Amino acid sequence: MQSQKSFQDESRGMLYLIPTPIGNLEDMTIRGIRLLKEVDLIASEDTRNTQKLLNYFDITTSQISFHEHNTQERIGQLIEKLEAGLSIAQVSDAGMPSISDPGHELVVACIEADIPVVPLPGANAGLTALIASGLAPQPFYFYGFLPRKKKDQLAALEELNQRPETLILYESPHRLKEVLKAMIGVFGEDRKIVCCRELTKKFEEFIRGTLVEALEWATENEVRGEFCLIIEGNHHGSLLAETDRSWEALSLKEHVELLMTELDVPSKTAIKEVAKIRELKKQEVYGAYHEI
């Protein structure tokens, strides 16, 4: 058991996790600006990008690069500086450090070295999009970026389809159309989605509708800007998760019919769920249900 009293001994080195704006520079907090001026060093995901922020607020603190390609090399160096009594702020290019950005490994290393880790509240794309989406804000499930490989992506979507919570995902503009197609294949056409782009910036936009309507929009328009996707949860997800093994006494056809009745879903959805539950091929369940 470890207890951290963050401000009991401020004479020792300390790691500050400081959120940066996701677009509008005015979203930087007063405390964040003060600490960036006061710390001895800033560990930045991209020093050139962070320098624009520092220039805007007249911050002259030195930077050191800390990104996914030099994480292991840098951690030892940063821990050494912290143990020597220096204070360090860690920032990503936008939003919260460690959320789809570097930082987690450094936090773990600091905890192991008994160095205080102090987080600041601030900008976060997922929550910013969620509260304006119009979909249920709680409970929600944050996933981040889907896997790039098609097989892994579909497997992730199949798992997400079991969740009743509102889903929060991040996606790049050049992958949006293909991801929406994959979601339609797993979630169905009518699942509600809000595609949020350019959050806090001049061209901020919320595209609200069903998955098939979102795909139509992405096909007919030039897709630009980073996206945060807020997706309606599967209202039957919690029921599916709680299914017991009483189905073992049922035939495949009876199992499909049971789910259709209990969950009020069409045969196509019930067949897919029975295949998952029994770890069978969908074609086998389809054939048994339709008595082919």
Side-chain angles (χ1 to χ4, degrees):
M1 179 67 69
Q2 182 192 58
S3 174
Q4 172 187 312
K5 295 186 183 295
S6 300
F7 307 109
Q8 190 173 51
D9 181 9
E10 296 189 51
S11 63
R12 60 184 306 194
M14 192 174 294
L15 176 68
Y16 292 96
L17 305 177
I18 301 183
T20 53
I22 57 177
N24 193 320
L25 294 180
E26 292 180 354
D27 291 333
M28 193 69 194
T29 68
I30 295 172
R31 184 184 176 203
I33 295 169
R34 175 178 64 79
L35 283 170
L36 287 177
K37 290 181 178 181
E38 292 179 356
V39 294
D40 298 297
L41 186 65
I42 301 172
S44 307
E45 182 179 3
D46 185 332
T47 55
R48 292 168 299 179
N49 184 71
T50 300
Q51 192 59 52
K52 298 174 185 176
L53 176 70
L54 301 184
N55 291 342
Y56 187 84
F57 290 107
D58 296 320
I59 299 169
T60 58
T61 309
S62 298
Q63 296 186 74
I64 185 172
S65 64
F66 180 68
H67 48 73
E68 60 180 338
H69 302 297
N70 70 358
T71 301
Q72 298 308 314
E73 172 192 351
R74 281 284 188 259
I75 286 178
Q77 299 170 0
L78 294 172
I79 292 294
E80 188 176 325
K81 293 178 185 298
L82 288 160
E83 288 180 332
L86 297 184
S87 58
I88 298 177
Q90 196 249 318
V91 301
S92 66
D93 283 348
M96 289 278 183
S98 298
I99 304 295
S100 299
D101 289 308
H104 173 66
E105 294 90 344
L106 178 58
V107 170
V108 172
C110 284
I111 292 171
E112 290 176 350
D114 202 25
I115 295 168
V117 178
V118 178
L120 271 67
N124 174 268
L127 294 181
T128 302
L130 176 65
I131 60 174
S133 69
L135 298 181
Q138 60 175 324
F140 67 84
Y141 182 80
F142 175 81
Y143 186 89
F145 286 96
L146 288 167
R148 291 181 180 275
K149 292 183 179 179
K150 192 72 174 177
K151 181 180 178 182
D152 295 337
Q153 184 182 105
L154 287 174
L157 288 173
E158 292 285 359
E159 289 187 16
L160 289 172
N161 192 37
Q162 304 300 314
R163 307 203 70 96
E165 307 95 337
T166 299
L167 306 174
I168 303 177
L169 286 81
Y170 293 158
E171 197 49 78
S172 60
H174 67 274
R175 295 205 310 163
L176 182 66
K177 281 191 285 189
E178 292 306 312
V179 165
L180 289 172
K181 290 177 184 177
M183 286 182 179
I184 289 172
V186 177
F187 297 162
E189 296 183 351
D190 297 327
R191 186 78 67 89
K192 292 179 182 178
I193 185 173
V194 182
C195 301
C196 315
R197 60 179 291 271
E198 298 293 273
L199 287 168
T200 78
K201 301 176 185 177
K202 181 179 180 180
F203 297 105
E204 177 178 278
E205 185 175 10
F206 295 86
I207 300 98
R208 301 180 176 92
T210 63
L211 281 170
V212 72
E213 289 170 338
L215 179 58
E216 289 174 2
W217 175 88
T219 302
E220 296 170 359
N221 294 273
E222 182 180 5
V223 181
R224 301 177 65 181
E226 295 299 315
F227 281 80
C228 184
L229 307 179
I230 310 297
I231 305 153
E232 180 182 31
N234 183 352
H235 300 310
H236 306 302
S238 59
L239 293 175
L240 293 171
E242 294 168 5
T243 301
D244 59 28
R245 300 190 67 84
S246 60
W247 51 261
E248 291 180 336
L250 303 175
S251 67
L252 290 177
K253 182 179 176 66
E254 289 170 338
H255 195 178
V256 172
E257 292 172 341
L258 176 67
L259 289 188
M260 289 174 63
T261 301
E262 289 189 346
L263 304 180
D264 189 26
V265 295
S267 61
K268 180 180 177 181
T269 302
I271 288 169
K272 186 185 296 185
E273 295 308 326
V274 168
K276 287 181 197 171
I277 293 169
R278 295 189 179 227
E279 297 182 347
L280 298 172
K281 290 185 177 180
K282 192 163 55 175
Q283 296 89 330
E284 182 178 348
V285 181
Y286 179 90
Y289 175 71
H290 292 285
E291 299 181 343
I292 297 175

